[in-house]
Amino acid sequence: MTAPTADAPPPGLRMPGRRGTELALLAGAVLISVCGYIDVGLARQNAVPGDAASYGAGLAALALLGHLAVRFRAPYADPLLLPIAILLNGLGLLLIFRLDLETPVDRAAPTQLVWSALGVGLFAAVVLLLRDHRTLQRYAYVSVAAGLVLMVVPIFFPAVNGAKIWIRVAGFSFQPGEFAKILITVFFAAYLAANRNALAHTGKRMWKLQFPTGRVLGPVVAVWLVSVGVLVLERDLGTSLLFFGVFVVLLYVATGRTGWIAVGLLLAAAGAAAVGVLEPHVHSRVADWLHPFASITAGRGASQLAQSLFAFAAGGLLGTGLGEGHSALIGFAMKSDFILATYGEELGLTGLTALFLLYALLVARGYRAGLALRDPFGRLLAVGLASLLAVQVFVIAGGVMGLIPLTGMAMPFLAQGGSSVVTNWVIVALLIRVSDSARRPHPDAAEPGVVAAAGTDGARSGASAPPYEEDDMPYGYGYGGGEVEDNHHNHGNHDERGNHGNHGNHGNHDEYDHHDDQDSHR
Amino acid sequence: MNRYIRRASVFCLLLLVALLLNAARVQVFEAGHYDDDSANRRAALTRYSQPRGDILVDGEPVTGSRDSGGRLRYERTYAEGPLYAPVTGYASQVYGTSLLENAEDDVLSGTDPRLAAVPLWTDISREQQPGGDVVSTVVAAVQQAAFEGLGGKKGAVAAVQPRTGKILALVSTPSYDPNDLAGTEQSVADTWNRLNRSAGQPMINRALKQTYPPGSTFKVVTAAAALDHRKVTDIDAATDAPDPYTLPGTSTRLTNEAGGCANASLRHAFEVSCNTVFARLGVDVGLDGMVGTAEKFGFNDADLKIPSTAARSVFDTEMDDAQVALSAIGQYDTTATPLQMAMVAAAVANGGEVKTPYLVDKVTDAHGGTVAATRHKTLHRAMSRGTARRLQEMMTGVVTRGTGTGAAIDGATVGGKTGTAQHGVGNKGTPYAWFVSWAKKDGAADPAVAVAVVVEDAAADRADISGGGSAAPIARAVMRAALR
């Protein structure tokens, strides 16, 4: 098809890879972590910890491994993603090492380092082996099936700390639900990329909202049922909230229909209300959130949430300094669900703000890749993974700080937990992959004659190039041969600008989008 | 789709803003509220993480710290626990602090901002200051003399330096060992419960926190009021007081234990302690005059801090004449702490000026540098100089030829007043024996000490309990120690 508004970089201009920037930032990330490690040692034992060098070397080796993989197979990837991940992981190891000092018999940092190495290894493997994110689209239904299996398996294992989300084998325990997050996000992205038109443009209009028809509503209701099922059967409020949140965000991004938001919120509210009343575990969490100090008034001492709030309060603006807080008072789960309390107490509001901004930057970079990409699956995948991180940070940070009811969940990269850290490394690997695609100058775009057909774009730098036109896919692009329904919709419509004339309104939207896109890319 | 991606990113941004606002709420705006919560153990952990500062008597610490190795790490030790317990109080991991340990807690635990070398920087760095020391005004020999003088009896002694208000001794018996309250062991709770149940109430500081009817020792105040209000101008002139005296508006007849009280002079009435003369003088001065003088001595003051708060000594402000008459001889609702009665004696010795009593000479930082020093100050002028001089004469007479001869000391001028205070329903309780006195070394410019002794000895025979018999020898021992 002809794409009159195609805008490609002028020939001869090379998109900078920014790998040098990434390396410098990585060095900074490792340095910050090592300084923190030394600080803990100085505060607690008045001496530089003996293994500071090996900790630094280990982290640097992981950083280098990740960097080499990116340099080799994703040279155009966003240079901020890997350093932020390394810094967060380094801070997490540091905090776990620091909390190990309070529990000399139960040392978690070495195990966490092994899991981190495994995570970075998996990161490198994904970056090296997954050459194009669109390959994943073919496995949409395989991945959702695998994801559901992973989520269901722990039901057959005994509950740990009130939630059935663990599998314990030979002393190792992991949460398969963590891996399921990625698989299910991949499915959401693929399903919505294929069905977004059907979801967006069919259905009844009621008052200002457009509601979808029953046929396309089916899978959505199924997802909702799975979320509630997870909640009831596994008593895992957090994961359920996470899935639902990401799904609603993706649904909105794919269709732009506020009706979906309304339906989503309605279903979520109904589900939450029902579960909140019927399920005692969830009910008590809500009660704790509303009255964190009830246990003190009742003479039973401070609850975990109260201890967590005390820890944050003790941190104040500047924090007590690493190693000098008393967050160990939280007791159980201080290294996992409540690790943010240690961070907040010892580094204060200042440190916490910096931490939230690091997460925000990671999320923003995911969104930016989503904006820059051309294929709907890639965009939804990028937005989905970024939202996954954002919602997860919100749910757990809001939980331990009394903003929302507490749900057991791991702070990405920071908290103790092997499955979580490995999963997050895979998420970053996928973000690296999509950002590489988003920023890669397309070889076919250098065709003379097509360049600067739209005058305004020609003046802009090569960096503004949309990397892919779906029609010029270099290799097999498709929806997996019938695995995804509504192929006919995509036929001819899958290029956004191809919508011209088909749906007047929609086409206009896309045109604006296109210009917006250029702006964002400067 | 880009528009929707942007909107979704705005949603994520809102989540971030919510987190940051909530973080500011928890860590800044509500932090103080959380920090002060009774269930928040941070304050205790920090507090016991370093040795506590010491309390010094005669330049030597009477306290110490022991590293228990536990979570609430440093425990308090006391060199001579029972002797100094009414001064130091206790510092317990479980039950908090009392008396000096409580009043000077900020200094001892190192949280007092005055201890910081660079004040603002310490706030930012959160560096913990080592605990400062509290130098007390107590003199070991005087304290020791009072403690030994009371021996196994139940009672209290307060001794002050009249010219400054320095408290030289503060003793209460039976006492307890605050060593047994430091720490977190079960024995601490057992000790606490045992002490609280004990009939002797060893944890009450009787010298400071317990009030007693002052009995005849209050006649010092009544005499001062009568002289200052010119109801008596010549202490050797006969008063026309009847014996017995019928309380105004009643048929109750007040009698004396001593003889020669009818129309006795003020001097004689004071020396032998005539109830009739002083009851009638109280009525002559009137309620307002009596209240005015009593309050200038320090009665009815609930805010006296030494720095621990002293119990309020009472002279009732709403009474009829009969009640005023009884109050004027230290009965009815009139009550006083031993410290208050020591202040009364000190005011006489000091020419009529009541000095604010104080127990802390100065506080120092951990290196001995003075952080704050107490300057002595006048609380009130209780009576004119002339009245004070005449009261000194009369009090000296009590010791040389009156009821208080047991307090006489060679080489010193001693003035005193005995008291036997009745109490209990229908005055059936064993009376309290009082003695208030002061002593001035011959040739010295200022009196060395003023003392109040109270003995509530339930074991003794009623006839034996008189200020002159039980309390005066104790006061004598205390004064001798102070004169040395």
Side-chain angles (χ1 to χ4, degrees):
Chain A
M1 79 174 259
T2 56
T5 53
D7 44 344
L13 248 175
R14 229 182 112 258
M15 171 106 174
R18 314 302 298 264
R19 296 277 68 79
T21 312
E22 182 181 84
L23 194 59
L25 289 173
L26 280 172
V30 172
L31 202 65
I32 291 172
S33 306
V34 173
C35 286
Y37 205 82
I38 292 172
D39 188 18
V40 170
L42 288 176
R44 296 297 292 245
Q45 286 131 358
N46 272 320
V48 175
D51 50 356
S54 56
Y55 162 80
L59 198 63
L62 293 184
L64 206 61
L65 173 64
H67 175 71
L68 288 177
V70 172
R71 191 175 271 268
F72 186 53
R73 276 290 157 79
Y76 297 100
D78 195 310
L80 281 179
L81 295 170
L82 185 60
I84 291 176
I86 284 285
L87 178 55
L88 291 172
N89 201 344
L91 289 174
L93 286 168
L94 163 66
L95 290 178
I96 294 167
F97 162 75
R98 178 257 171 277
L99 286 170
D100 278 350
L101 298 176
E102 310 283 347
T103 56
V105 287
D106 175 25
R107 298 182 61 83
T111 322
Q112 186 73 3
L113 188 59
V114 171
W115 280 111
S116 303
L118 199 66
V120 175
L122 217 53
F123 167 87
V126 169
V127 171
L128 291 176
L129 298 178
L130 182 70
R131 303 291 293 273
D132 189 318
H133 61 271
R134 285 166 300 181
T135 316
L136 294 173
Q137 202 170 5
R138 273 182 233 150
Y139 302 108
Y141 283 92
V142 176
S143 74
V144 74
L148 288 179
V149 167
L150 284 176
M151 279 166 68
V152 167
V153 166
I155 294 177
F156 305 107
F157 285 79
V160 178
N161 311 319
K164 288 190 161 193
I165 52 175
W166 297 85
I167 295 181
R168 286 211 164 155
V169 181
F172 272 93
S173 58
F174 53 98
Q175 282 177 280
E178 290 282 346
F179 302 109
K181 284 175 196 166
I182 301 178
L183 295 172
I184 289 182
T185 306
V186 167
F187 165 73
F188 284 165
Y191 174 80
L192 292 169
N195 294 296
R196 63 198 186 96
N197 287 327
L199 289 163
H201 303 297
T202 58
K204 291 187 190 114
R205 263 188 98 76
M206 277 166 65
W207 189 56
K208 287 178 183 174
L209 305 171
Q210 185 166 17
F211 289 96
T213 57
R215 193 173 64 86
V216 288
L217 199 63
V220 180
V221 172
V223 167
W224 177 72
L225 283 176
V226 167
S227 300
V228 175
V230 166
L231 184 56
V232 172
L233 295 174
E234 307 192 345
R235 296 175 212 148
D236 188 357
L237 188 66
T239 308
S240 151
L241 201 63
L242 191 62
F243 282 143
F244 204 73
V246 169
F247 186 66
V248 170
V249 167
L250 285 184
L251 201 53
Y252 173 72
V253 169
T255 65
R257 293 289 157 237
T258 41
W260 280 115
I261 306 282
V263 170
L265 289 180
L266 221 65
L267 288 176
V275 171
V277 171
L278 298 174
E279 177 63 51
H281 179 72
V282 176
H283 181 75
S284 73
R285 287 289 175 87
V286 174
D288 284 349
W289 168 61
L290 290 173
H291 309 287
F293 298 107
S295 65
I296 298 172
T297 324
R300 294 194 309 274
S303 65
Q304 268 188 308
L305 181 57
Q307 288 288 14
S308 174
L309 290 173
F310 290 160
F312 281 108
L317 207 57
L318 294 170
T320 59
L322 281 170
E324 314 215 33
H326 295 292
S327 56
L329 289 171
I330 294 170
F332 171 72
M334 65 183 175
K335 295 177 195 170
S336 49
D337 292 1
F338 286 96
I339 194 142
L340 194 65
T342 299
Y343 190 99
E345 175 165 8
E346 305 199 341
L347 295 172
L349 181 61
T350 317
L352 203 58
T353 305
L355 184 74
F356 286 150
L357 289 180
L358 278 181
Y359 282 114
L361 208 51
L362 201 57
V363 172
R365 288 293 159 152
Y367 268 85
R368 167 167 266 206
L371 282 169
L373 276 169
R374 279 283 142 254
D375 69 303
F377 170 68
R379 321 180 101 195
L380 289 173
L381 183 63
V383 169
L385 293 173
S387 307
L388 193 65
L389 283 172
V391 175
Q392 187 162 351
V393 168
F394 178 77
V395 166
I396 182 62
V400 296
M401 301 189 79
L403 184 61
I404 57 171
L406 182 63
T407 60
M409 209 188 261
M411 199 74 192
F413 289 111
L414 223 53
Q416 176 195 12
S419 348
S420 167
V421 76
V422 167
T423 305
N424 287 315
W425 272 114
V426 174
I427 289 176
V428 172
L430 291 175
L431 285 176
I432 287 270
R433 174 49 63 216
V434 290
S435 80
D436 179 56
S437 301
R439 296 160 62 98
R440 183 191 296 270
H442 197 273
D444 295 351
E447 279 173 54
V450 185
V451 171
T456 51
D457 290 331
R460 295 195 175 127
S461 82
S464 64
Y468 285 108
E469 289 303 326
E470 285 176 16
D471 275 7
D472 346 327
M473 288 309 156
Y475 34 81
Y477 175 78
Y479 288 99
E483 271 185 34
V484 179
E485 328 150 275
D486 288 317
N487 252 353
H488 63 280
H489 262 285
N490 295 307
H491 186 72
N493 277 359
H494 53 261
D495 181 344
E496 299 197 347
R497 273 140 305 188
N499 281 336
H500 270 299
N502 286 353
H503 308 280
N505 259 338
H506 190 225
N508 280 342
H509 283 172
D510 284 343
E511 186 130 313
Y512 291 136
D513 284 350
H514 176 63
H515 285 291
D516 287 347
D517 203 27
Q518 301 308 309
D519 291 339
S520 76
H521 232 281
R522 265 179 297 194
Chain B
M1 203 189 275
N2 280 1
R3 159 185 300 193
Y4 309 132
I5 292 180
R6 291 220 165 94
R7 286 197 188 144
S9 74
V10 169
F11 166 70
C12 290
L13 190 66
L14 288 178
L15 295 185
L16 173 71
V17 169
L19 282 182
L20 287 176
L21 287 179
N22 185 55
R25 172 185 75 88
V26 173
Q27 299 204 271
V28 179
F29 298 110
E30 284 186 28
H33 176 65
Y34 291 144
D35 288 343
D36 296 340
D37 195 288
S38 60
N40 193 345
R41 294 181 64 214
R42 279 176 179 70
L45 289 174
T46 312
R47 168 191 183 84
Y48 295 110
S49 67
Q50 64 178 6
R52 198 167 161 79
D54 284 319
I55 297 172
L56 277 63
V57 170
D58 283 353
E60 294 296 321
V62 296
T63 59
S65 279
R66 189 172 70 82
D67 186 354
S68 71
R71 244 190 175 176
L72 304 178
R73 191 167 161 188
Y74 284 95
E75 296 178 356
R76 193 53 141 173
T77 60
Y78 297 88
E80 289 175 89
L83 172 63
Y84 290 109
V87 176
T88 59
Y90 56 80
S92 165
Q93 264 81 346
V94 186
Y95 297 104
T97 54
S98 72
L99 300 176
L100 267 191
E101 295 274 27
N102 178 268
E104 296 293 347
D105 188 55
D106 287 350
V107 170
L108 294 167
S109 64
T111 56
D112 193 309
R114 292 176 300 176
L115 293 173
V118 191
L120 273 176
W121 171 245
T122 326
D123 283 349
I124 293 168
S125 70
R126 298 208 188 186
E127 200 178 324
Q128 206 180 349
Q129 299 294 325
D133 291 338
V134 173
V135 179
S136 85
T137 56
V138 168
V139 175
V142 181
Q143 180 85 2
Q144 190 78 41
F147 188 69
E148 283 170 5
L150 282 167
K153 298 189 201 78
K154 202 171 173 183
V157 173
V160 300
Q161 192 174 58
R163 191 179 58 80
T164 57
K166 278 185 187 176
I167 295 175
L168 304 177
L170 209 57
V171 172
S172 172
T173 55
S175 190
Y176 67 102
D177 192 346
N179 277 309
D180 300 338
L181 293 175
T184 52
E185 302 85 0
Q186 178 57 37
S187 69
V188 170
D190 295 343
T191 305
W192 176 265
N193 290 331
R194 179 173 53 76
L195 291 174
N196 274 303
R197 275 198 304 266
S198 167
Q201 294 176 294
M203 284 203 291
I204 290 184
N205 183 343
R206 295 177 165 77
L208 183 67
K209 304 275 191 185
Q210 179 84 306
T211 59
Y212 299 88
S216 301
T217 56
F218 191 78
K219 288 169 185 166
V220 178
V221 177
T222 307
L227 289 167
D228 265 6
H229 287 88
R230 305 205 151 268
K231 299 298 174 194
V232 177
T233 47
D234 180 358
I235 59 172
D236 292 312
T239 55
D240 53 352
D243 181 13
Y245 172 61
T246 306
L247 297 181
T250 70
S251 56
T252 308
R253 282 147 56 96
L254 192 66
T255 58
N256 297 301
E257 305 217 343
C261 286
N263 298 327
S265 69
L266 186 64
R267 187 196 294 273
H268 180 73
F270 195 87
E271 283 169 5
V272 301
S273 203
C274 294
N275 289 338
T276 47
V277 174
F278 284 92
R280 192 172 152 275
L281 277 177
V283 176
D284 278 359
V285 172
L287 179 65
D288 292 346
M290 284 303 292
V291 168
T293 300
E295 289 188 350
K296 279 183 187 150
F297 275 100
F299 281 80
N300 296 343
D301 180 358
D303 298 325
L304 182 66
K305 290 183 172 59
I306 66 160
S308 307
T309 309
R312 177 170 176 264
S313 299
V314 176
F315 188 85
D316 211 333
T317 53
E318 285 176 29
M319 295 187 285
D320 60 27
D321 279 351
Q323 290 162 341
V324 172
L326 283 174
S327 296
I329 58 168
Q331 297 289 340
Y332 188 57
D333 279 347
T334 309
T335 58
T337 60
L339 178 66
Q340 172 63 67
M341 293 318 293
M343 287 160 69
V344 168
V348 173
N350 194 41
E353 251 183 12
V354 185
K355 290 289 181 177
T356 305
Y358 63 96
L359 195 51
V360 176
D361 194 35
K362 62 179 180 178
V363 294
T364 69
D365 60 25
H367 313 294
T370 300
V371 169
T374 312
R375 296 170 60 88
H376 56 82
K377 54 181 187 287
T378 301
L379 186 64
H380 301 290
R381 171 162 282 283
M383 62 196 122
S384 69
R385 256 171 220 291
T387 301
R389 200 173 52 247
R390 282 182 282 182
L391 261 171
Q392 285 170 11
E393 274 181 44
M394 294 195 289
M395 285 181 81
T396 312
V398 170
V399 174
T400 49
R401 56 182 173 270
T403 52
T405 48
I409 299 171
D410 286 341
T413 311
V414 177
K417 180 74 194 83
T418 55
T420 308
Q422 299 184 327
H423 71 107
V425 179
N427 291 339
K428 289 294 196 304
T430 312
Y432 300 131
W434 274 97
F435 194 75
V436 302
S437 66
W438 47 265
K440 187 165 97 173
K441 201 168 198 163
D442 289 344
D446 295 309
V449 63
V451 191
V453 178
V454 66
V455 179
E456 40 171 318
D457 200 345
D461 176 15
R462 182 173 173 134
D464 270 359
I465 297 180
S466 67
S470 299
I474 299 171
R476 180 171 182 267
V478 173
M479 289 186 291
R480 280 174 70 99
L483 286 167
R484 239 179 253 129

